[in-house]
Amino acid sequence: MAKPAHAPTPRWKELLMRFAAPAAALAAVLAITASVGQGADHVTDPRAAALVAEGRTALATGDVERAVDAFEAALTVDPAATAIYVELGQAARANGLQGKAIRYYRAALEREPGNLAALTGEGQALLEKGAVEKARRNLARLQSVCGANCAETQALAAAIARGPQPRVLTAEAVMPDAVVTQKN
């Protein structure tokens, strides 16, 4: 008994051949979209962008409270902007609130797991809290995402090499408020 000249192909092979090209194109589009999302400067609403610029200026001049107010207002205007969470994290670090900064960076990372600025900021905040091993984990994530030569990886590596900085306590922070009583 002779076999037919053209044997039918199994159904799965037919489906694979039919959808391979569109699947590859979709994968390429998703990869490009994901890489575009790596930037921490995406703010879609122009009002929010103006508030972010105001906050950055205030942070650069040392007015942390005004910067936080501007960033929070920007977040109200554009709650989908991951960059604002990163900016709030930087302001919290400048204010000495590393725990709060870590929460902001993690919120950014929930939205964009590969956000380089959030990974770096969280690593630096962890280091400032004394969590060196956790900061090293962030460094490893950065190295896997952007390599050893990207600016974010080098910045966190340099901070880890310096080590956690000792906290400086003022006398006011250690001493209780003085209560003066007068006896006659």
Side-chain angles (χ1 to χ4, degrees), residues 167-178:
R167 293 188 180 176
V168 177
L169 293 178
T170 61
E172 292 81 16
V174 178
M175 299 296 293
D177 290 337

Side-chain angles (χ1 to χ4, degrees), residues 38-84:
Q38 297 299 318
D41 291 334
H42 175 71
V43 178
T44 55
D45 192 293
R47 296 170 299 166
L51 288 164
V52 167
E54 178 184 324
R56 286 178 179 160
T57 302
L59 196 57
T61 61
D63 192 353
V64 179
E65 294 305 317
R66 196 177 94 206
V68 169
D69 290 344
F71 294 142
E72 286 176 347
L75 192 60
T76 302
V77 172
D78 191 358
T82 305
I84 299 171

Side-chain angles (χ1 to χ4, degrees), residues 7-103:
T9 59
R11 178 83 175 137
W12 65 271
K13 284 185 179 179
E14 184 178 308
L15 289 173
L16 181 65
M17 290 187 305
R18 179 179 293 173
F19 293 109
L26 180 62
V29 167
L30 289 174
I32 290 169
T33 303
S35 67
V36 168
Q38 297 299 318
D41 291 334
H42 175 71
V43 178
T44 55
D45 192 293
R47 296 170 299 166
L51 288 164
V52 167
E54 178 184 324
R56 286 178 179 160
T57 302
L59 196 57
T61 61
D63 192 353
V64 179
E65 294 305 317
R66 196 177 94 206
V68 169
D69 290 344
F71 294 142
E72 286 176 347
L75 192 60
T76 302
V77 172
D78 191 358
T82 305
I84 299 171
Y85 288 98
V86 174
E87 298 291 348
L88 280 165
Q90 291 171 345
R93 280 185 54 223
N95 215 10
L97 302 171
Q98 280 68 26
K100 193 171 190 175
I102 291 168
R103 284 192 298 275

Side-chain angles (χ1 to χ4, degrees), residues 66-156:
R66 196 177 94 206
V68 169
D69 290 344
F71 294 142
E72 286 176 347
L75 192 60
T76 302
V77 172
D78 191 358
T82 305
I84 299 171
Y85 288 98
V86 174
E87 298 291 348
L88 280 165
Q90 291 171 345
R93 280 185 54 223
N95 215 10
L97 302 171
Q98 280 68 26
K100 193 171 190 175
I102 291 168
R103 284 192 298 275
Y104 284 127
Y105 291 129
R106 288 189 179 158
L109 289 168
E110 284 176 13
R111 295 166 177 277
E112 290 181 22
N115 187 298
L116 302 180
L119 280 169
T120 305
E122 183 189 36
Q124 290 171 337
L126 287 166
L127 185 64
E128 291 162 1
K129 282 189 66 118
V132 178
E133 207 47 50
K134 289 182 180 180
R136 285 191 179 123
R137 283 187 220 142
N138 276 44
L139 179 61
R141 283 180 64 191
L142 276 169
Q143 288 171 336
S144 70
V145 171
C146 71
N149 293 327
C150 77
E152 291 84 356
T153 302
Q154 291 176 348
L156 185 55

